[in-house]
Amino acid sequence: QAEDGIRDVERSRGLGDVYKRQLDRWIIDIVPQPNPDGVVLGTGMVNSLGSNPMFEFRKAADGESCSKEARMLWRLAEETKPLLYLELHSYYQDNRASYGPYIFPSELYEDEERARLGKKVDSALISISPGEILHVPVGTNNFGQCLPYLIREHFNTISYFYKLHSREGLADNLNQAVRVFQTMLRAVD
């Protein structure tokens, strides 16, 4: 359903054109809600079993016991080895800034060409982001367990968390999310 909305030029706030141009080059996978039970229960990042799948991807990568959500997303990453990965987060706390990427370490890329391309996407995202930019260091404890960090490390993926904020309103958040997606695609095009 989300993919149909992106393909629909009339309802997609301009994403449809970008999507159609990219279909010749890439497959775009969309996971609209990686923790559905946690959201339904109102626990946000914690699933119905009390674990936080966001920080269990190191376990999934190592074949250790972890949440089903982490295991399934890791399997998708292993199968697809994506060039780009974007994970949107929407904050609600007043002390959190709006609209900014988490920049993961370029040292995690396997080769200079991918690092160069990743830095180009970093710069493009920073240029459209009025909020705080978070630079994640190598070996960081929590973020070293998350999917964007690990797929960059394992699959040479250009990957990000991007923060939106509920105080900006749904329409503005959707517009920014589309802008981020378009910016990433154009930067690697």
Side-chain angles (χ1 to χ4, degrees):
Q1 292 158 343
E3 189 173 332
D4 291 341
I6 288 173
R7 287 191 219 187
D8 184 345
V9 177
E10 299 300 316
R11 295 182 359 219
S12 67
R13 303 177 199 278
L15 189 56
D17 290 336
V18 173
Y19 183 88
K20 281 192 265 185
R21 282 196 311 272
Q22 302 307 329
L23 283 178
D24 293 337
R25 297 186 54 210
W26 299 318
I27 296 170
I28 299 173
D29 294 316
I30 298 172
V31 180
Q33 183 46 261
N35 185 16
D37 57 339
V39 170
V40 168
L41 292 171
T43 58
M45 293 170 44
V46 178
N47 67 16
S48 62
L49 301 175
S51 66
N52 184 339
M54 184 171 131
F55 298 119
E56 293 191 335
F57 290 99
R58 176 85 53 200
K59 289 178 182 178
D62 293 343
E64 297 175 18
S65 178
C66 64
S67 69
K68 187 174 189 175
E69 297 91 341
R71 191 170 55 254
M72 297 307 287
L73 282 173
W74 184 255
R75 185 177 304 153
L76 178 64
E78 280 183 317
E79 290 171 2
T80 61
K81 295 183 178 49
L83 170 65
L84 295 171
Y85 176 82
L86 172 63
E87 187 171 320
L88 298 169
H89 289 252
S90 182
Y91 292 122
Y92 61 89
Q93 303 95 334
D94 287 338
N95 66 334
R96 298 278 190 149
S98 302
Y99 301 157
Y102 286 49
I103 306 293
F104 291 90
S106 60
E107 297 89 340
L108 297 176
Y109 291 120
E110 294 174 5
D111 60 74
E112 275 304 309
E113 178 60 25
R114 185 59 56 88
R116 185 196 60 73
L117 188 57
K119 288 176 184 176
K120 180 179 175 188
V121 178
D122 292 352
S123 295
L125 286 178
I126 289 168
S127 75
I128 64 159
S129 301
E132 177 186 5
I133 311 304
L134 178 65
H135 293 270
V136 177
V138 172
T140 184
N141 223 8
N142 281 342
F143 289 113
Q145 312 301 313
C146 69
L147 190 57
Y149 187 100
L150 287 163
I151 61 174
R152 183 171 287 196
E153 183 179 65
H154 285 258
F155 308 125
N156 213 23
T157 300
I158 301 167
S159 53
Y160 302 91
F161 283 144
Y162 194 90
K163 44 190 169 168
L164 304 171
H165 203 293
S166 60
R167 74 171 157 253
E168 307 300 342
L170 181 60
D172 288 342
N173 278 316
L174 288 173
N175 286 333
Q176 185 67 9
V178 168
R179 189 173 180 207
V180 167
F181 189 71
Q182 289 174 330
T183 298
M184 290 176 69
L185 292 178
R186 288 179 180 137
V188 299
D189 199 10

